[in-house]
Amino acid sequence: MDGLIFDIAHLFAGGLVLVSFMLLYQDRLYALLNIFALHAFVLALSVAWQALVQAAPHLYVTAAIALGFKAIVIPVALHRIIQRLGIHRQVETVVGMGPTMLAGMGLVALSMVVMLRVTPEADPLAREDLAFALSVVLLGLLMMVTRRNAVSQVIGFMSLENGLILAATGAKGMPLVVEISVAFSVLIAFIVIGIFLFRIRERFDTVDIGALDDFRGERK
Amino acid sequence: MSLAALDAVTLVLLLPIAAAALLAVLPGYRFSARLNVGASLLTLFAALSLFVSERPPVGQFLFVDDLNIVFIVLNTFVGFTTSVFSASYIGHELETGRLTPAHLRFYHAMYQVMMFGMNLALVSNNIGLMWVAVELATLTTVLMVGIYRTHEALEAAWKYFILGSVGIALALFGTILVYMAARPAIGEGLDAMIWTVLIEHVAAFDPALLNLAFVFLLLGYGTKVGLAPLHAWLPDAHAEGPTPISAVLSGLLLNVALYAVLRFKMLLAQSPDAIAPGPLMISMGLTSLIFAGFMLYRRRDIKRMFAYSSIEHMGIITFAFGMGGPLANFAGLLHMVMHSLTKSAIFYAVGHIAQIKGTQKIAEIRGLTETHPWLGWGLVIGVVAIAGLPPLGIFMSEFLLVSSTFARQPLLAIPLVFGLLVAFGALLLRLSSIAFGEPKGSAAPAEASYVPMYAHLALVLGAGLYLPPPLVVWFQHVARVLG
């Protein structure tokens, strides 16, 4: 039975890493949103499984937040924003898809090496969960660096937060304080981002961060 | 008696949040500005009463010890003086139309929410709560940096937000790792996140996990301290936001982030098998110091220049705490206090100067001591202080740091002194053109409040000439606590 518990947790956490890779190579905003919804959905499954295994009912709340808020509300809202702004064209990336995927693989390998080597004594479930979580975090960071479009940077940030929640729920018995706070910070972050998107739109008629780059920080 | 002390801690948190709620609904900027000042003053009194009242029992979420009391008092003091400065600053912004009354209501409410966030981070005993509080303070400053809604302000806020969220992520991951390391020794649940419990049991933690956690925490909170190479948000955020926010960013928020790093450094220092946190902090500190020193030469924007100077000084302070030991820690603490006071005083002066001249370009500001003697000489004293000249307070802390470094690690003292001299040259070079020479730009009289600026400068001068023995004893004690 233990083997099965472990395998299922592994499946979900590994699935999350896989979906993170799928996020990396999406080149259309709508597709990116759909994959992000999938990302949040896999996270919800993973968290719910942890809640069941650890007999920690409060984790169901986190799972519900992941499902309701991140897999449904946010993608729908972003969908509307994209529609209203009329920016459903191709996503510009700074680096090509090939190098990005290679870098992503390198990051996953790095996090496996680092986490598995330093945690030989921790219980295997937690330690592999943590290794996967670090991979998701790093892939989210990678996505934030390789995208120029504000919406895809936001999605990169949220996938990164998903990785953090995976880590927090994998750490057995971690107090609820943190989970609520994580959910909260996502909420706040989203409000902030929403305001920014509209402000950027209002001023420049684009949400391409590249358009802001001509300001180099020095006024001559 | 303990109830009264508990009240003081609660008040430090409750006053800002109550004021924020009031300010969010009250119209009229004049009254709001006064209410902001009043609330900040009351918070300062509450913080000061922590000194005299008995300490509350260590709680699961909040606690007061010798270390954080210094930070709280400094935080509330600069928060108060900045609110006074802000009251004389924002009227002008309203007249020139850069801000609307609705913006100001938002601004005042956010100011108090930010004070709440910083105070909460300082008194929290729970590493999760501390993380939440630092994030709250950061997010409010992101909103305030973007308040002018100009092209530059938006880019600055966006950059700050993106880099800040990277910091958020890394710090939270580090926090989770600390919990993972603590769980086998302490058991599941809340206890494994309480700092005072952690430090008692830290010897039994898995050192490898703890090492990894510290790296993440140093990078995560280090982003907010503005340590190179994670500093990129800092100059933009300082230059494009309202000047009172630049003053609290430099003077307070960087300290709060550093405080978080220090708490975890203390944990690691107690663990026999974990890596020494010192060398990591020393190398990041030195990198920031030398990098910022050189960057100072190429600045054309006055607020941006002083932002780089903040990176430089945070580098020095991180270096001092990284060196550790009673003397270097003492120097680090003193330097932190002096830097907060001096840098915010400089920003008070710069804020009014930029308003009068209508520009932040260094080339457009000349001969200030002739046209605006009060502002000009205030800026001169501030820059002389921040450059580390005697007899002002920063000279003393830098002297202490350099001499203790020479005594223990002479090789490290060479880059330290080099960095200090590079920055020194840049600051004096710029100062001579700003303060002296043929006046340039508008000579309109300033409607400024000089009290906060000169109060800070007087304190810095006083500390340079004579440190009262009780203060020295207190700082020495805290320096020993820091290890």
Side-chain angles (χ1 to χ4, degrees):
Chain A
M1 189 58 201
D2 256 11
L4 188 64
I5 288 176
F6 182 79
D7 285 344
I8 293 180
H10 220 124
L11 174 72
F12 288 140
L16 205 60
V17 177
L18 211 63
V19 181
S20 279
F21 269 108
M22 289 170 70
L23 281 175
L24 276 183
Y25 66 74
Q26 297 306 318
D27 60 358
R28 282 175 193 281
L29 280 180
Y30 285 152
L32 192 68
L33 278 182
N34 293 340
I35 301 293
F36 174 72
L38 178 66
H39 199 264
F41 179 67
V42 176
L43 175 78
L45 285 181
S46 167
V47 174
W49 182 249
Q50 291 285 353
L52 189 72
V53 173
Q54 295 178 17
H58 61 267
L59 287 185
Y60 286 119
V61 179
T62 313
I65 292 173
L67 186 66
F69 187 63
K70 283 190 177 168
I72 298 170
V73 176
I74 287 192
V76 168
L78 278 177
H79 203 277
R80 287 221 174 134
I81 290 179
I82 292 171
Q83 223 163 17
R84 196 175 306 161
L85 301 187
I87 48 164
H88 47 274
R89 52 188 164 77
Q90 281 212 332
V91 178
E92 289 172 77
T93 50
V94 179
V95 191
M97 293 299 168
T100 312
M101 294 303 275
L102 282 177
M105 279 187 248
L107 288 176
V108 173
L110 176 78
S111 64
M112 294 295 162
V113 170
V114 169
M115 290 311 301
L116 297 184
R117 197 165 287 174
V118 301
T119 55
E121 281 145 36
D123 68 299
L125 183 57
R127 103 187 238 246
E128 308 220 340
D129 232 21
L130 213 55
F132 281 131
L134 183 59
S135 311
V136 175
V137 168
L138 291 179
L139 288 175
L141 279 179
L142 181 67
M143 187 169 159
M144 287 172 78
V145 218
T146 53
R147 301 290 176 134
R148 303 184 68 172
N149 183 295
V151 173
S152 32
Q153 280 189 349
V154 167
I155 291 178
F157 177 59
M158 289 190 297
S159 77
L160 184 156
E161 295 255 27
N162 285 354
L164 290 173
I165 294 182
L166 183 68
T169 51
K172 212 172 165 205
M174 187 134 170
L176 184 66
V177 191
V178 177
E179 281 124 31
I180 290 182
S181 71
V182 170
F184 235 98
S185 76
V186 171
L187 190 69
I188 298 169
F190 189 70
I191 295 168
V192 173
I193 291 163
I195 295 166
F196 275 113
L197 288 181
F198 279 109
R199 285 186 172 181
I200 290 171
R201 170 70 182 173
E202 183 179 298
R203 292 276 164 183
F204 316 112
D205 296 302
T206 171
V207 277
D208 190 339
I209 295 302
L212 296 179
D213 274 353
D214 49 324
F215 171 65
R216 278 280 165 231
E218 286 296 324
R219 280 171 291 188
K220 288 179 186 142
Chain B
M1 193 59 205
S2 75
L3 195 69
L6 190 68
D7 282 346
V9 178
T10 322
L11 274 180
V12 165
L13 299 176
L14 216 58
L15 280 169
I17 206 74
L22 264 181
L23 287 167
V25 291
L26 288 178
Y29 90 93
R30 272 174 217 284
F31 178 71
S32 294
R34 272 184 216 135
L35 182 62
N36 195 27
V37 173
S40 306
L41 182 65
L42 285 178
T43 317
L44 172 64
F45 283 142
L48 284 174
S49 75
L50 285 172
F51 272 119
V52 287
S53 61
E54 207 173 293
R55 297 275 164 79
V58 173
Q60 282 190 318
F61 293 102
L62 306 180
F63 83 132
V64 177
D65 71 353
D66 294 337
L67 175 62
N68 63 13
I69 209 168
V70 177
F71 281 81
I72 297 168
V73 170
L74 180 67
N75 202 40
T76 47
F77 177 71
V78 179
F80 163 62
T81 48
T82 306
S83 69
V84 176
F85 162 66
S86 155
S88 75
Y89 177 88
I90 49 157
H92 186 275
E93 300 296 280
L94 204 60
E95 280 164 26
T96 52
R98 290 184 82 188
L99 292 176
T100 64
H103 281 141
L104 277 183
R105 200 159 80 186
F106 175 76
Y107 164 87
H108 280 125
M110 278 298 145
Y111 188 88
Q112 290 296 332
V113 175
M114 176 188 69
M115 290 307 294
F116 167 75
M118 290 196 287
N119 288 341
L120 181 63
L122 293 175
V123 294
S124 65
N125 191 16
N126 182 304
I127 55 175
L129 184 65
M130 181 159 81
W131 180 83
V132 173
V134 174
E135 290 333 312
L136 179 66
T138 311
L139 285 175
T140 51
T141 42
V142 167
L143 289 173
M144 302 232 265
V145 165
I147 203 169
Y148 287 139
R149 307 177 86 178
T150 58
H151 189 158
E152 294 85 357
L154 284 177
E155 198 212 347
W158 181 260
K159 208 175 188 178
Y160 182 19
F161 174 68
I162 290 292
L163 268 165
S165 50
V166 172
I168 290 174
L170 297 180
L172 181 61
F173 202 76
T175 309
I176 295 170
L177 286 175
V178 171
Y179 171 78
M180 294 279 288
R183 199 188 53 185
I186 299 177
E188 286 173 21
L190 202 57
D191 277 355
M193 298 203 79
I194 295 177
W195 189 82
T196 42
V197 178
L198 289 175
I199 197 147
E200 275 169 33
H201 295 86
V202 74
F205 294 0
D206 179 8
L209 260 182
L210 212 53
N211 291 345
L212 195 64
F214 185 72
V215 172
F216 276 100
L217 288 163
L218 181 64
L219 287 176
Y221 286 123
T223 309
K224 299 207 160 51
V225 181
L227 294 177
L230 303 160
H231 66 280
W233 62 272
L234 195 145
D236 295 83
H238 277 67
E240 304 309 335
T243 311
I245 300 311
S246 317
V248 281
L249 266 178
S250 256
L252 302 179
L253 193 64
L254 306 187
N255 288 350
V256 171
L258 187 68
Y259 167 82
V261 174
L262 283 182
R263 281 283 177 208
F264 289 105
K265 185 211 163 208
M266 287 164 78
L267 270 188
L268 246 74
Q270 295 291 321
S271 170
D273 300 319
I275 44 161
L280 286 175
M281 292 174 73
I282 288 177
S283 47
M284 279 189 95
L286 273 183
T287 315
S288 312
L289 165 64
I290 294 174
F291 168 79
F294 280 110
M295 292 305 277
L296 277 173
Y297 283 91
R298 295 192 51 218
R299 296 308 101 193
R300 296 191 189 91
D301 180 308
I302 187 164
K303 279 167 84 177
R304 202 172 284 273
M305 177 172 89
F306 289 114
Y308 273 100
S309 155
S310 289
I311 300 178
E312 177 221 335
H313 284 275
M314 290 323 280
I316 297 173
I317 299 164
T318 310
F319 174 87
F321 287 128
M323 283 293 291
L327 202 56
N329 279 339
F330 183 94
L333 276 174
L334 186 64
H335 197 91
M336 189 192 76
V337 175
M338 290 300 128
H339 170 250
S340 290
L341 293 175
T342 317
K343 189 53 66 61
S344 35
I346 288 178
F347 273 117
Y348 302 158
V350 167
H352 287 306
I353 292 167
Q355 281 184 336
I356 294 164
K357 302 284 183 189
T359 176
Q360 292 174 202
K361 286 180 209 159
I362 291 176
E364 308 278 309
I365 305 171
R366 286 190 188 285
L368 268 182
T369 45
E370 277 182 43
T371 50
H372 303 88
W374 281 98
L375 279 177
W377 284 108
L379 186 70
V380 170
I381 300 171
V383 174
V384 163
I386 210 86
L389 280 175
L392 292 123
I394 288 186
F395 167 74
M396 201 157 90
S397 55
E398 283 182 356
F399 178 77
L400 268 174
L401 179 62
V402 170
S403 57
S404 75
T405 311
F406 256 119
R408 289 168 54 200
Q409 301 278 345
L411 278 180
L412 280 179
I414 297 167
L416 175 68
V417 172
F418 173 72
L420 288 176
L421 288 177
V422 169
F424 176 85
L427 285 169
L428 290 197
L429 194 72
R430 291 280 173 252
L431 176 69
S432 64
S433 78
I434 293 172
F436 307 106
E438 196 69 21
K440 193 172 173 184
S442 160
E447 290 167 38
S449 154
Y450 302 113
V451 180
M453 174 171 74
Y454 280 98
H456 280 202
L457 292 175
L459 280 174
V460 173
L461 178 65
L465 295 174
Y466 173 71
L467 271 181
L471 198 67
V472 175
V473 172
W474 182 276
F475 270 28
Q476 277 171 341
H477 172 65
V478 176
R480 272 196 302 276
V481 171
L482 275 171

